[in-house]
Amino acid sequence: MSEAPRTYDVIVLGAGPCGENLAERTSDAGLATVVVESELLGGECSFWACEPSKALLRPMTARADARRVPALSEAVSGPLDVAVALAHRDKLANYWQDDDQVDWLNSVSVDLVRGFGRLEGPRQVTVQTADGQTVRLAARHAVAVCTGTDSALPDLPGLSDAHPWTSRNATSSREVPERLAVIGGGVVAVEMAAAWQALGSQVTMLVRGTRGLLPRMEPFAGEMVADGLREAGVDIRQDISVSRVTRTGREVHIEWADGGNLTADEVLVAIGRVPRTGDIGMETVGLKPGDWLAVDDTFQVPGVAGGWLYAAGDVNHRALMTHQSKYQARIAGAIIGVRAAGGRLDDARWGAHASTADSAAVPQVVFTDPEVASVGLTARQAERAGRRFDMVDYDIGHVAGAVQYADGYRGKARLLVDLDRGNVLGATFVGAGVAELLFSATVAITSEVPVERLWHAVPAFPTISEVWLRLLETRRAGAVRRFEGTAV
């Protein structure tokens, strides 16, 4: 162990997208910053989540689009080239090497200590390196925990010995299982079901409860994604409560409460995430190991004396998405810099040091066929909050741009309009190619643009974005459902 700690202004635990961005911002503010990372720089998104999963999904969605275009459908009627698809996945995951990330970190003047970092009391961190050394670090101003999450695994008899797939296995497997069971119905579950079915697996989804797929989104989103998965050959079974999982040789046997059972070659458990806080020294600063790190709106962890501990990204449980963790990191890094300089925060709604989008405008895309793109509140969330709003729906297939995009285009758009403020509360789009509609909806919400002003935002013809005009026309015609603010 080194005799004296290396002292920095800011220590960042975790070098995923969140940690990297936060470190860049504190370094830009003139603060000496070090990042601690035990795995690959770039984290889950670069190597086991966003990048490899979308590489697996893109051939499937491109083929689906092409099959709906006259003069192309016959040309793409065959199966995907699995070897090429997996090789492309490997390329976009940078072959699980992080050299370019290290170069980037050096370019923004941030130091790196490779190893497992733990809190050791106020402003103190120890790092166990791969070669058995211990490095001690001390922070003058802040320690930021950006350690992210792991896949949640339920306490099921036999599960650990069955060696289930987690999201990491699902995005990095080098073999296509003949039969894949997927436990769960959220984003990871539907995306990986779509990808592996397209690559040649026979996928069976085991979904708990009766709310269907994508239960946190508008109900029609999950219904339309379920239709698309079934058309692709996925077997979706709902209201299943798995009670036991065992492995015998190369087969996995899954049992559920009502006596049903299923045999597969692999089982993916995709039921949610848990914070990586179990062994980072939470107890040394008065916190419970394994808990989410709840934060205030400046990303400080309340209850830790001195205001030096921050948590950003998935680990604080505010919005578990890469782009949102980077948003939090940019704001948290700026806040740390301002406080270190004795400055004043601009923490008004949508201010430079406010994380308003975490509650008002979180964008999300589900890269299935059809795609789902959403931002802001769902109708259920708005109703529960007691908001007064109009809910406007429109069939995207009636838009000229959708007709051009594909024969028999199927899609739906929903817009929530705040009756008190006259601006957009939320938007959801389902259909091929709708991901590119999302930023316009995000801008409308974050800018709090009056809906009447949106009449002057003219969509080009013939594009799918013309659905914005159709939604406004539908509302003007009075074809809406109105919610008058009674919380449920």
Side-chain angles (χ1 to χ4, degrees), residues 110-451:
V110 173
D111 286 353
L112 169 65
V113 176
R114 286 194 183 270
F116 190 86
R118 297 183 80 256
L119 297 167
E120 292 287 352
R123 296 184 172 85
Q124 304 294 313
V125 170
T126 60
V127 185
Q128 300 297 320
T129 66
D131 60 3
Q133 299 298 308
T134 299
V135 178
R136 298 172 59 206
L137 303 172
R140 298 185 187 93
H141 295 292
V143 176
V145 178
C146 304
T147 49
T149 60
D150 285 316
S151 294
L153 291 175
D155 186 17
L156 287 175
L159 182 62
S160 60
D161 292 332
H163 306 296
W165 276 12
T166 65
S167 57
R168 284 194 172 193
N169 304 104
T171 58
S172 63
S173 176
R174 298 188 179 280
E175 295 183 0
V176 179
E178 183 177 343
R179 299 162 298 176
L180 173 65
V182 178
I183 300 175
V187 175
V188 171
V190 298
E191 287 192 344
M192 290 298 92
W196 288 104
Q197 182 73 30
L199 289 168
S201 292
Q202 174 53 60
V203 176
T204 302
M205 298 187 70
L206 305 176
V207 183
R208 187 180 181 90
T210 58
R211 288 190 61 190
L213 306 183
L214 305 175
R216 296 183 180 180
M217 307 185 87
E218 296 285 9
F220 69 85
E223 292 164 5
M224 296 179 75
V225 168
D227 288 343
L229 288 171
R230 290 190 180 103
E231 288 178 9
V234 175
D235 180 4
I236 302 174
R237 306 187 191 183
Q238 298 193 61
D239 203 15
I240 299 294
S241 181
V242 175
S243 58
R244 185 176 185 83
V245 179
T246 56
R247 182 179 286 276
T248 304
R250 295 182 61 85
E251 291 188 331
V252 179
H253 307 284
I254 304 162
E255 303 170 28
W256 48 90
D258 68 0
N261 64 85
L262 176 73
T263 299
D265 300 290
E266 300 290 353
V267 56
L268 164 62
V269 179
I271 62 168
R273 308 290 295 179
V274 292
R276 289 180 183 151
T277 61
D279 192 27
I280 64 166
M282 296 264 282
E283 69 280 2
T284 70
V285 295
L287 301 172
K288 183 180 177 182
D291 276 0
W292 298 98
L293 275 168
V295 295
D296 62 21
D297 286 340
T298 66
F299 300 105
Q300 280 185 334
V301 179
V304 176
W308 56 271
L309 185 62
Y310 292 76
D314 288 4
V315 75
N316 65 31
H317 206 226
R318 288 168 69 105
L320 277 66
M321 278 162 279
T322 294
H323 45 270
Q324 210 68 23
S325 73
K326 292 163 73 174
Y327 163 78
Q328 291 181 13
R330 294 190 294 268
I331 293 172
I335 287 171
I336 292 169
V338 169
R339 283 179 169 156
R344 184 175 180 178
L345 297 182
D346 174 14
D347 57 1
R349 182 175 172 83
W350 304 117
H353 307 120
S355 54
T356 312
D358 277 348
S359 58
V362 176
Q364 183 171 15
V365 178
V366 184
F367 292 86
T368 45
D369 175 37
E371 287 179 345
V372 181
S374 68
V375 62
L377 302 182
T378 64
R380 183 181 180 87
Q381 291 167 340
E383 194 175 6
R384 281 183 167 177
R387 305 294 288 267
R388 299 176 63 248
F389 64 96
D390 281 342
M391 184 174 76
V392 191
D393 290 344
Y394 192 80
D395 184 338
I396 303 177
H398 294 161
V399 175
V403 175
Q404 292 281 357
Y405 195 95
D407 273 356
Y409 187 103
R410 287 179 291 176
K412 183 174 180 178
R414 172 168 291 175
L415 198 65
L416 307 184
V417 179
D418 190 303
L419 291 173
D420 296 310
R421 297 175 61 89
N423 59 304
V424 178
L425 276 177
T428 299
F429 308 96
V430 181
V434 297
E436 300 307 326
L437 294 174
L438 190 56
F439 189 66
S440 57
T442 305
V443 170
I445 293 174
T446 58
S447 302
E448 298 184 345
V449 178
V451 171

